[in-house]
Amino acid sequence: MSQPLIRLDGVRKIFAGEDVETHALDGIDLTIDFGEYVAIAGPSGCGKSTLLSILGLLDTPSEGRYLLNNRPVESLSAAERARTRNREIGFIFQSFNLIGDLTVYENVELPLTYMGMSGADRTSRVTRALERVGMAHRARHLPGQLSGGQQQRVAVARAVVTQPSILLADEPTGNLDSHNGEAVMQLLRDLHADGATICMVTHDPRYAAHATRSVHLFDGRVVPDDHAGTTTGVGGAAAGARRD
Ligand code: ADP
Ligand code: MG
């Protein structure tokens, strides 16, 4: 039986500027079950990154509810929020966001240090995560000594090293050539096959097709399935069975 990991009800995000308000999210209802691989698609400016930031506890909704693992996120204290983000969320950014003066190894170790994990446990976890993404041989390099594709693999290792409940990826291939992009996408597919729950923003329909379900956004709203066009990129048996 499917079990929701994430549930958004009526989530809105309004950015107040000097003289204009931007309704980046305009009433989002979304459920993501354990083990799903969801692609978020839609044109530039439709709210994809805003949605992912809220899911990743990097930003807060202006209105609406967010239940993560049945817990209302809005009830968390600042410390609980930071702890939840550290333990439950793995974030992969378009621009990798590795720390330039830390080695590959140290970048991947950092979230475990925040968790308060002991040195010996950290070593085995970091080693395994780097092996998982094929980057163990570059452990002592600095990010600047790596190609973009290699940096993104390290960023994937950093995101999975804490064994989070969900991996969030915001256009993870956006800064990569197609060869390296495909390698990172294959990595995400392998992680999903091993049980990871993934929510990925992409505007590339080929990559959206890797997911088990696509959610289309337009002007801060979810486009109903029957209006999402014919090339929705929805694949697999799970797609037809879902009702949110
Ligand atoms: P996408 O990722 O789909 O391209 P975004 O979520 O980045 O879209 O942005 C959605 C809308 O919200 C855009 O109109 C954008 O300009 C606006 N926006 C995003 N972040 C901010 C911010 N911090 N302040 C003001 N407006 C913002
Ligand atoms: Mg974006």
Side-chain angles (χ1 to χ4, degrees):
M1 216 181 85
S2 61
Q3 199 189 344
L5 170 62
I6 277 174
R7 189 162 159 196
L8 299 183
D9 282 317
V11 163
R12 292 176 197 277
K13 182 67 182 181
I14 300 162
F15 293 108
E18 297 237 314
D19 30 46
V20 284
E21 280 189 342
T22 304
H23 291 244
L25 297 177
D26 199 14
I28 302 281
D29 302 325
L30 177 68
T31 303
I32 299 177
D33 290 335
F34 281 95
E36 276 202 291
Y37 183 176
V38 176
I40 308 280
S44 182
C46 71
K48 304 183 297 295
S49 293
T50 304
L51 175 59
L52 219 63
S53 296
I54 287 174
L55 292 179
L57 308 184
L58 300 170
D59 206 345
T60 50
S62 310
E63 280 177 45
R65 294 199 80 197
Y66 174 9
L67 292 177
L68 174 63
N69 234 330
N70 282 323
R71 291 189 77 192
V73 166
E74 53 273 19
S75 71
L76 300 176
S77 68
E80 287 169 331
R81 224 179 130 77
R83 186 185 143 89
T84 304
R85 187 164 55 224
N86 175 227
R87 289 173 183 247
E88 305 294 333
I89 311 279
F91 217 110
I92 303 162
F93 301 89
Q94 179 173 348
S95 49
F96 325 133
N97 291 18
L98 299 173
I99 298 176
D101 56 3
L102 295 184
T103 64
V104 161
Y105 184 95
E106 290 164 342
N107 267 279
V108 177
E109 185 182 34
L110 202 54
L112 301 178
T113 309
Y114 287 142
M115 276 175 99
M117 187 177 281
S118 75
D121 290 346
R122 291 202 306 269
T123 304
S124 66
R125 284 268 200 117
V126 173
T127 305
R128 250 186 298 147
L130 285 175
E131 282 168 358
R132 187 78 174 81
V133 303
M135 289 300 295
H137 63 306
R138 292 289 181 265
R140 298 191 185 289
H141 283 59
L142 293 170
Q145 299 171 313
L146 305 178
S147 72
Q150 290 176 322
Q151 288 187 57
Q152 194 63 306
R153 294 156 82 97
V154 174
V156 172
R158 178 184 57 183
V160 300
V161 75
T162 55
Q163 300 175 351
S165 301
I166 188 161
L167 270 182
L168 302 172
D170 193 350
E171 307 208 29
T173 64
N175 284 356
L176 302 178
D177 61 43
S178 61
H179 174 74
N180 282 300
E182 184 49 52
V184 166
M185 292 307 303
Q186 183 61 47
L187 206 47
L188 293 184
R189 267 184 293 193
D190 292 345
L191 289 165
H192 177 243
D194 287 347
T197 308
I198 302 178
C199 181
M200 173 186 69
V201 166
T202 183
H203 53 225
D204 188 327
R206 286 173 308 160
Y207 292 149
H210 292 179
T212 47
R213 178 162 64 110
S214 287
V215 172
H216 292 259
L217 290 190
F218 190 77
D219 277 356
R221 295 181 191 197
V222 175
V223 181
D225 277 352
D226 46 341
H227 294 284
T230 49
T231 55
T232 56
V234 176
R242 288 208 47 85
R243 284 282 177 280
D244 277 333

